[in-house]
mmCIF file of all heavy atoms in Angstrom:
data_model
loop_
_atom_site.group_PDB
_atom_site.id
_atom_site.type_symbol
_atom_site.label_atom_id
_atom_site.label_comp_id
_atom_site.label_asym_id
_atom_site.label_seq_id
_atom_site.Cartn_x
_atom_site.Cartn_y
_atom_site.Cartn_z
ATOM 1 N N GLY A 168 -17.436 -2.648 20.995
ATOM 2 C CA GLY A 168 -18.833 -3.186 20.869
ATOM 3 C C GLY A 168 -18.782 -4.659 20.478
ATOM 4 O O GLY A 168 -17.678 -5.175 20.323
ATOM 5 N N ASP A 169 -19.991 -5.251 20.312
ATOM 6 C CA ASP A 169 -19.891 -6.588 19.755
ATOM 7 C C ASP A 169 -20.239 -6.629 18.349
ATOM 8 O O ASP A 169 -21.263 -6.622 17.799
ATOM 9 C CB ASP A 169 -21.160 -7.340 20.387
ATOM 10 C CG ASP A 169 -21.044 -7.421 21.916
ATOM 11 O OD1 ASP A 169 -19.841 -7.674 22.371
ATOM 12 O OD2 ASP A 169 -22.005 -7.261 22.704
ATOM 13 N N ALA A 170 -19.183 -6.425 17.558
ATOM 14 C CA ALA A 170 -19.223 -6.348 16.087
ATOM 15 C C ALA A 170 -19.839 -7.741 15.692
ATOM 16 O O ALA A 170 -19.415 -8.748 16.167
ATOM 17 C CB ALA A 170 -17.804 -6.222 15.513
ATOM 18 N N PRO A 171 -20.893 -7.673 14.899
ATOM 19 C CA PRO A 171 -21.458 -8.858 14.447
ATOM 20 C C PRO A 171 -20.724 -9.615 13.478
ATOM 21 O O PRO A 171 -20.675 -9.365 12.280
ATOM 22 C CB PRO A 171 -22.889 -8.350 13.764
ATOM 23 C CG PRO A 171 -22.606 -6.955 13.321
ATOM 24 C CD PRO A 171 -21.382 -6.415 14.159
ATOM 25 N N PHE A 172 -20.073 -10.697 13.901
ATOM 26 C CA PHE A 172 -19.260 -11.506 13.096
ATOM 27 C C PHE A 172 -20.059 -12.710 12.519
ATOM 28 O O PHE A 172 -19.440 -13.384 11.635
ATOM 29 C CB PHE A 172 -18.008 -12.017 13.712
ATOM 30 C CG PHE A 172 -17.026 -10.951 14.090
ATOM 31 C CD1 PHE A 172 -16.786 -10.332 15.252
ATOM 32 C CD2 PHE A 172 -16.237 -10.426 12.909
ATOM 33 C CE1 PHE A 172 -15.862 -9.326 15.487
ATOM 34 C CE2 PHE A 172 -15.269 -9.457 13.156
ATOM 35 C CZ PHE A 172 -15.201 -8.917 14.443
ATOM 36 N N GLU A 173 -21.114 -13.056 13.043
ATOM 37 C CA GLU A 173 -21.916 -14.197 12.538
ATOM 38 C C GLU A 173 -22.516 -13.876 11.174
ATOM 39 O O GLU A 173 -22.762 -12.723 10.828
ATOM 40 C CB GLU A 173 -22.939 -14.626 13.527
ATOM 41 C CG GLU A 173 -22.412 -14.837 14.884
ATOM 42 C CD GLU A 173 -21.067 -15.700 14.925
ATOM 43 O OE1 GLU A 173 -21.021 -16.686 14.113
ATOM 44 O OE2 GLU A 173 -20.189 -15.362 15.662
ATOM 45 N N ALA A 174 -22.878 -14.910 10.436
ATOM 46 C CA ALA A 174 -23.428 -14.740 9.114
ATOM 47 C C ALA A 174 -24.812 -14.143 9.258
ATOM 48 O O ALA A 174 -25.659 -14.688 10.127
ATOM 49 C CB ALA A 174 -23.477 -16.016 8.329
ATOM 50 N N PRO A 175 -25.141 -13.055 8.578
ATOM 51 C CA PRO A 175 -26.448 -12.431 8.795
ATOM 52 C C PRO A 175 -27.500 -13.311 8.025
ATOM 53 O O PRO A 175 -27.306 -13.909 7.068
ATOM 54 C CB PRO A 175 -26.333 -11.114 8.156
ATOM 55 C CG PRO A 175 -25.256 -11.236 7.110
ATOM 56 C CD PRO A 175 -24.255 -12.317 7.668
ATOM 57 N N GLY A 176 -28.797 -13.284 8.652
ATOM 58 C CA GLY A 176 -29.960 -13.949 8.090
ATOM 59 C C GLY A 176 -30.433 -12.954 6.890
ATOM 60 O O GLY A 176 -29.967 -11.897 6.754
ATOM 61 N N PRO A 177 -31.356 -13.533 6.097
ATOM 62 C CA PRO A 177 -31.856 -12.847 4.970
ATOM 63 C C PRO A 177 -32.367 -11.460 5.166
ATOM 64 O O PRO A 177 -32.082 -10.496 4.539
ATOM 65 C CB PRO A 177 -32.791 -13.783 4.318
ATOM 66 C CG PRO A 177 -32.760 -15.035 5.016
ATOM 67 C CD PRO A 177 -32.024 -14.800 6.218
ATOM 68 N N ALA A 178 -33.168 -11.300 6.265
ATOM 69 C CA ALA A 178 -33.780 -10.017 6.584
ATOM 70 C C ALA A 178 -32.705 -9.060 6.921
ATOM 71 O O ALA A 178 -32.684 -7.902 6.470
ATOM 72 C CB ALA A 178 -34.811 -10.198 7.736
ATOM 73 N N GLU A 179 -31.766 -9.481 7.832
ATOM 74 C CA GLU A 179 -30.727 -8.611 8.287
ATOM 75 C C GLU A 179 -29.848 -8.192 7.104
ATOM 76 O O GLU A 179 -29.322 -7.128 7.067
ATOM 77 C CB GLU A 179 -29.967 -9.297 9.286
ATOM 78 C CG GLU A 179 -29.120 -8.386 10.200
ATOM 79 C CD GLU A 179 -28.207 -9.184 11.190
ATOM 80 O OE1 GLU A 179 -28.467 -10.329 11.413
ATOM 81 O OE2 GLU A 179 -27.307 -8.584 11.658
ATOM 82 N N ARG A 180 -29.642 -9.229 6.126
ATOM 83 C CA ARG A 180 -28.799 -8.930 5.103
ATOM 84 C C ARG A 180 -29.388 -7.780 4.133
ATOM 85 O O ARG A 180 -28.699 -6.970 3.720
ATOM 86 C CB ARG A 180 -28.662 -10.197 4.223
ATOM 87 C CG ARG A 180 -27.579 -10.073 3.201
ATOM 88 C CD ARG A 180 -27.624 -11.367 2.347
ATOM 89 N NE ARG A 180 -26.999 -12.475 2.958
ATOM 90 C CZ ARG A 180 -27.294 -13.722 2.639
ATOM 91 N NH1 ARG A 180 -28.178 -13.949 1.636
ATOM 92 N NH2 ARG A 180 -26.756 -14.797 3.233
ATOM 93 N N ALA A 181 -30.686 -7.798 4.002
ATOM 94 C CA ALA A 181 -31.359 -6.754 3.195
ATOM 95 C C ALA A 181 -31.098 -5.455 3.890
ATOM 96 O O ALA A 181 -30.974 -4.361 3.248
ATOM 97 C CB ALA A 181 -32.772 -7.099 2.983
ATOM 98 N N GLU A 182 -31.303 -5.427 5.192
ATOM 99 C CA GLU A 182 -31.158 -4.223 5.946
ATOM 100 C C GLU A 182 -29.763 -3.652 5.913
ATOM 101 O O GLU A 182 -29.460 -2.455 5.626
ATOM 102 C CB GLU A 182 -31.396 -4.559 7.444
ATOM 103 C CG GLU A 182 -32.269 -3.563 8.183
ATOM 104 C CD GLU A 182 -32.715 -4.183 9.523
ATOM 105 O OE1 GLU A 182 -31.779 -3.968 10.480
ATOM 106 O OE2 GLU A 182 -33.714 -4.848 9.653
ATOM 107 N N ARG A 183 -28.792 -4.609 5.893
ATOM 108 C CA ARG A 183 -27.297 -4.224 5.789
ATOM 109 C C ARG A 183 -27.119 -3.607 4.440
ATOM 110 O O ARG A 183 -26.339 -2.708 4.275
ATOM 111 C CB ARG A 183 -26.415 -5.414 6.025
ATOM 112 C CG ARG A 183 -26.261 -5.862 7.445
ATOM 113 C CD ARG A 183 -25.443 -7.101 7.491
ATOM 114 N NE ARG A 183 -25.529 -7.538 9.021
ATOM 115 C CZ ARG A 183 -24.539 -8.368 9.359
ATOM 116 N NH1 ARG A 183 -23.509 -8.694 8.740
ATOM 117 N NH2 ARG A 183 -24.630 -8.685 10.661
ATOM 118 N N LEU A 184 -27.689 -4.309 3.417
ATOM 119 C CA LEU A 184 -27.449 -3.836 2.170
ATOM 120 C C LEU A 184 -27.872 -2.382 1.876
ATOM 121 O O LEU A 184 -27.106 -1.607 1.315
ATOM 122 C CB LEU A 184 -28.137 -4.736 1.040
ATOM 123 C CG LEU A 184 -27.938 -4.301 -0.373
ATOM 124 C CD1 LEU A 184 -26.514 -4.361 -0.876
ATOM 125 C CD2 LEU A 184 -28.777 -5.247 -1.315
ATOM 126 N N ALA A 185 -28.975 -2.003 2.545
ATOM 127 C CA ALA A 185 -29.386 -0.716 2.338
ATOM 128 C C ALA A 185 -28.456 0.266 3.150
ATOM 129 O O ALA A 185 -28.143 1.423 2.563
ATOM 130 C CB ALA A 185 -30.825 -0.523 3.060
#
Side-chain angles (χ1 to χ4, degrees):
Chain A
D169 299 320
F172 286 106
E173 305 315 318
E179 201 187 342
R180 191 185 286 156
E182 225 169 87
R183 284 179 189 203
L184 179 60

